Amino acid sequence: MISPIVVDGVFFQIGRSGIARVWQSLLGLWAGTPFGDRLVVMDRKRTMPRIDGIRYVDAAGLNYADLEGDRRIVQDVCDDVGAALFISTYYSHPITTPSVAMVHDMIPEAMGFDMAQPMWRQKTMALAHAERFIAISRSTARDLQRFLARPLDVTVHYNGNDLAPVTAGEIADFRRRHGIARPYFMTSGSRADYKNASLFFNAFARFGDARKDYAIVCTGGGTLDDASRAAAGEAGVHVAIFDEHDLRCAYAGALALVYPSRYEGFGLPVLEAMACECPAITSTASSLPEVGGDAVLYIELGDTEEDQTFELLRRVQRPEVRADLIARGRAQALKFSWKTMADGVAATLQSAADAHPAPAPRVTPAPVRADDQLLPIGALRCRLPAASALAGLKREHRMYDRFASSLGAVLDAGDGAVIAGAGFGAALVALADAQPALSLLAVERDAARVAYLRSNATGLPSASVQLLQGDLGSPQLAGVDAVLREAGLDGIRLLVSTIGAAGADILAGASDLCRHVSPMLFFTCQIGGDANAADSWRERLRALWACGYTGFWVFDNFGNPLCEVTQPRALDQMLDYLSRQNQRQASRTLYYYDVLAFTDRDAARAARAVDLHTR
């Protein structure tokens, strides 16, 4: 199973500006593709436009007053679907699921905004959590690196464009409907300080009495401030928010788009203007030259910026200049495609998602049944299905399945323990009861058992409990080493594996852990019908000797300690004997062994555990 990638559509709750256009374009291109099938999109308060072929899940709206609560909302969705990766449309982020951050700009950081504001605090937290980054320009990538001041994995994928020229008739109809009779200059978007619209108005004021011959079209809505209205003089001023068709007409009918921004993450209006055959005047700041290339007129911001702007406002009205800019702009705009961006972003996200073991979807706890058993384990209880034989075997055999409690008792507060093949949760509960301050990770592949496991994990006193559904060594869970890296579990002192015949593969997948951390290992050494099983175990146990495991306690399958082995030859003899007994089916008592392996560091700890077990 290919694990999902969660996309948080939170920006659609905030606004419908350029970022919304970016994501709507990407999702539309991914819909109905194998990559699109992998996506799960969080729809905050039903604010997203729904696209056929994309899977959506409803989610609570973003509340900037409770950022920690929002992280839990995001993490719950990731857990519910078993997400391998998360990406937000606007800087939300989960608690543990790996994430890629798409960075549209570093305007708050570069412009000195108050980063204690909740929106920007969330962005800071999201960038700190992300493991990879997508930037929409090389300029944004450089600024991201500069402000985060740490090595980053950043891929640049430029925004695309889907606007195109309109006919002369459509332009005439647009002008008639909006009452625009004079030749006009166009400004785009917010007239906030960094957008620098005031530079255009100040330069335009130099036309003096000739201002009455022009109009100004300001997209983005809102109202014109007093200084800008005074600078406009007798020019006709039109402030509006246009739909896509009228936006294309507005660009196409303008003398020029004037966009002298002091900072842009990309500069989408410049690209849109070129695509609609509108000459553009912009600045050389940040990413704008990446977008405009040699197809626009540039202002060098500084002491002479107003003089330059006024000169370019006059120059752009010359027919030969306009014709040249329109031709160059048409060619430059073709370099930016939503399809190219969609393919690039999809490749980046798939690579990041596939670099992690695929977590299993959250499993709902098994409903309590009237015939469920409650097995006492120390001061705790473990719920088992009625068909489980565990409680009966523990009553019949005093030492059966109780060694986990003894191991937990000799671990220290803060130690980590991993249980591969956690079953219904008896070993998990035993460890938590014996040492409440453990960090625990339990892995189980059977969904019915995981349901009980989750119920039994609820309310455990341990400092940290993580559950994963999957088969270690399978594509879903690559192995103990990889799972531990993903889970971020440190200080591992114990690995328990009761998988049986597959236990050798479990140990093979923990080779880095054994080699570098050398935890105690408690595992079932089972020989099934496979004639090669003994050789597999022999190879694995010898590998443990080679990386420093010098002591082995051997137990029969009812928990009775048989012997302590301190020589490799004795292990070989044990395996030979086990194999012969299994072939003859001579003894159910010796069908398998449980083995505790340890290094010199834990020899005394292992001895205490065995002593506790046999009291």
Side-chain angles (χ1 to χ4, degrees):
M1 182 185 71
I2 299 177
S3 53
I5 298 170
V6 169
V7 178
D8 187 353
V10 65
F11 188 82
F12 291 84
Q13 179 189 335
I14 301 169
R16 297 299 175 96
S17 61
I19 293 175
R21 192 179 311 160
V22 169
W23 278 100
Q24 192 161 354
S25 299
L26 295 179
L27 291 169
L29 288 166
W30 289 332
T33 68
F35 177 72
D37 293 342
R38 190 173 186 177
L39 300 179
V40 177
V41 179
M42 294 174 58
D43 188 352
R44 302 288 196 127
K45 297 178 68 174
R46 285 274 178 160
T47 53
M48 291 196 72
R50 297 291 180 110
I51 298 172
D52 289 342
I54 295 292
R55 175 186 170 191
Y56 296 86
V57 295
D58 290 335
L62 169 65
N63 177 7
Y64 277 120
D66 184 14
L67 295 181
E68 288 304 313
D70 195 70
R71 293 180 70 198
R72 289 192 293 273
I73 290 170
V74 172
Q75 189 61 54
D76 282 345
V77 173
C78 292
D79 289 343
D80 285 344
V81 303
L85 191 72
F86 172 86
I87 185 169
S88 178
T89 57
Y90 205 68
Y91 304 123
S92 56
H93 62 110
I95 299 171
T96 58
T97 300
S99 69
V100 171
M102 180 180 285
V103 183
H104 299 276
D105 59 64
M106 297 297 284
I107 290 170
E109 296 82 357
M111 297 290 104
F113 289 11
D114 180 4
M115 299 305 291
Q117 291 291 323
M119 178 179 287
W120 307 131
R121 187 156 52 87
Q122 184 186 53
K123 179 183 179 183
T124 300
M125 294 164 59
L127 298 185
H129 178 77
E131 63 172 29
R132 297 192 192 184
F133 300 85
I134 294 169
I136 60 172
S137 68
R138 291 193 299 272
S139 173
T140 294
R142 287 193 299 270
D143 285 345
L144 179 66
Q145 181 72 69
R146 175 164 62 96
F147 284 104
L148 266 59
R150 60 183 171 88
L152 302 177
D153 183 348
V154 187
T155 306
V156 174
H157 297 299
Y158 287 113
N159 286 339
N161 164 70
D162 49 15
L163 299 191
V166 294
T167 66
E170 288 174 301
I171 297 171
D173 177 67
F174 163 79
R175 296 180 66 134
R176 178 188 56 77
R177 286 186 288 107
H178 292 278
I180 306 171
R182 309 172 195 172
Y184 64 91
F185 293 104
M186 179 174 171
T187 69
S188 178
S190 166
R191 287 171 293 283
D193 288 345
Y194 76 89
K195 292 291 188 182
N196 206 20
S198 61
L199 175 57
F200 160 71
F201 281 100
N202 292 340
F204 180 79
R206 294 193 178 191
F207 280 111
D209 292 341
R211 288 176 289 179
K212 68 180 184 304
D213 300 324
Y214 295 95
I216 300 171
V217 173
C218 304
T219 69
T223 58
L224 207 61
D225 63 276
D226 291 342
S228 297
R229 187 164 294 280
E234 295 183 37
V237 178
H238 306 266
V239 181
I241 296 176
F242 297 125
D243 60 24
E244 182 176 306
H245 177 263
D246 277 7
L247 181 62
R248 292 165 59 201
C249 293
Y251 279 128
L255 293 170
L257 168 73
V258 188
Y259 196 71
S261 178
R262 299 190 183 279
Y263 188 98
E264 289 293 320
F266 179 77
L268 190 59
V270 173
L271 173 58
E272 292 176 337
M274 294 188 297
C276 294
E277 299 185 342
C278 172
I281 300 171
T282 190
S283 75
T284 57
S286 58
S287 62
L288 291 165
E290 293 180 59
V291 178
D294 65 354
V296 302
L297 299 177
Y298 289 106
I299 304 163
E300 290 282 351
L301 299 177
D303 293 341
T304 65
E305 60 185 28
E306 190 175 306
D307 294 335
Q308 296 175 60
T309 305
F310 179 58
E311 173 56 33
L312 294 179
L313 292 178
R314 294 194 299 178
R315 181 181 172 191
V316 78
Q317 298 181 62
R318 289 157 46 187
E320 70 278 10
V321 172
R322 290 180 52 76
D324 182 59
L325 289 173
I326 288 172
R328 289 175 182 268
R330 189 186 302 116
Q332 179 70 7
L334 292 175
K335 298 177 182 179
F336 299 89
S337 157
W338 288 125
K339 176 67 164 57
T340 300
M341 185 185 191
D343 290 346
V345 172
T348 297
L349 295 180
Q350 290 194 109
S351 172
D354 294 343
H356 297 283
R362 191 206 304 268
V363 177
T364 303
V368 176
R369 297 170 58 92
D371 57 353
D372 278 346
Q373 306 175 64
L374 285 177
L375 175 67
I377 300 179
L380 302 177
R381 298 290 184 270
C382 180
R383 189 157 65 91
L384 302 171
S388 172
L390 179 59
L393 287 168
K394 288 177 73 69
R395 287 193 297 269
E396 184 180 350
H397 304 281
R398 185 176 72 89
M399 295 184 182
Y400 186 82
D401 199 43
R402 58 174 280 181
F403 192 53
S405 294
S406 300
L407 286 171
V410 301
L411 296 179
D412 296 329
D415 282 346
V418 181
I419 311 164
F424 298 112
L428 178 71
V429 174
L431 288 169
D433 174 73
Q435 173 51 275
L438 292 177
S439 292
L440 297 167
L441 171 64
V443 185
E444 171 56 46
R445 61 185 171 186
D446 181 80
R449 292 179 180 179
V450 172
Y452 276 90
L453 177 65
R454 185 169 296 281
S455 295
N456 287 320
T458 302
L460 287 183
S462 292
S464 172
V465 179
Q466 297 186 59
L467 307 179
L468 289 175
Q469 182 187 355
D471 189 358
L472 284 164
S474 74
Q476 284 73 38
L477 290 173
V480 175
D481 293 332
V483 167
L484 287 179
R485 286 192 295 271
E486 175 69 13
L489 196 61
D490 298 321
I492 303 301
R493 201 60 178 262
L494 175 67
L495 170 62
V496 176
S497 173
T498 56
I499 297 295
D505 293 333
I506 299 298
L507 290 183
S511 56
D512 287 346
L513 180 70
C514 295
R515 187 162 47 248
H516 300 300
V517 182
S518 303
M520 292 189 293
L521 307 170
F522 184 58
F523 52 89
T524 297
C525 180
Q526 180 177 336
I527 309 297
D530 186 353
N532 297 320
D535 290 336
S536 177
W537 275 110
R538 197 184 317 275
E539 178 183 347
R540 183 50 46 203
L541 294 177
R542 284 176 175 170
L544 290 177
W545 278 100
C547 64
Y549 285 83
T550 55
F552 295 80
W553 265 100
V554 183
F555 303 78
D556 72 11
N557 60 336
F558 293 125
N560 301 296
L562 299 179
C563 62
E564 183 179 10
V565 178
T566 57
Q567 297 292 330
R569 179 178 176 82
L571 283 175
D572 284 344
Q573 291 173 341
M574 178 192 73
L575 287 169
D576 289 341
Y577 177 70
L578 175 60
S579 185
R580 289 194 300 271
Q581 291 291 90
N582 184 59
Q583 289 169 8
R584 295 201 308 265
Q585 297 183 341
S587 171
R588 73 187 185 101
T589 304
L590 295 179
Y591 178 66
Y592 61 82
Y593 290 106
D594 286 332
V595 178
L596 174 66
F598 50 90
T599 63
D600 290 342
R601 179 191 67 168
D602 287 318
R605 195 185 298 262
R608 290 202 311 274
V610 174
D611 181 57
L612 286 171
H613 179 62
T614 55
R615 285 181 184 176

